[in-house]
Amino acid sequence: MSGIFILVLRGLLATTLYLFLIWSIYSIWKDLKREVNLHKDKNIPSLRLILQSKDRVGIFRKSEVFIGKDKGNDFIIADGELSAQHTRLFYTQKLWWVEDLHSTNGTFLNNEKLETPILLTNGDQLQCGTSFIEIQIGNGADKDA
């Protein structure tokens, strides 16, 4: 009887040890992932959006910015021609890009309708509905940040 008890006790000890190791590795992985995400956002050049009709400015330092009239967007514009979530600006491969989110009235970059994601450059003009937005990237956008 004592042999079975010791065998069960050894099994419980081994299981506890493996669970502790798995938990430790998972905790370290989670912390590393969080640190990588923090440093990743620090390397993103700032993006300044200037709404020309209302002289409103938005400065962003994150990898994704959504434009639309819905309150869940990062840059909210009260424009009847805008979709709830109209346009997405995103940072990937060390460049800023813009894409239309299948909006009803489309998104235009420098008077050309967006069909696919397109690279943004400093000074571009974005038209969402009847609103015009000037884009400033990096150093030009960092002045007031």
Side-chain angles (χ1 to χ4, degrees), residues 59-78:
I59 299 173
F60 302 95
R61 281 195 167 276
K62 56 190 214 168
S63 60
E64 244 182 355
V65 177
F66 289 93
I67 298 172
K69 64 181 177 183
D70 190 44
K71 294 197 186 303
N73 292 295
D74 301 302
F75 196 68
I76 303 166
I77 303 172

Side-chain angles (χ1 to χ4, degrees), residues 38-51:
L38 283 174
H39 291 294
K40 183 174 78 172
D41 287 346
K42 286 182 182 178
N43 294 330
I44 296 174
S46 62
L47 178 69
R48 180 185 222 185
L49 305 178
I50 303 168
L51 184 61

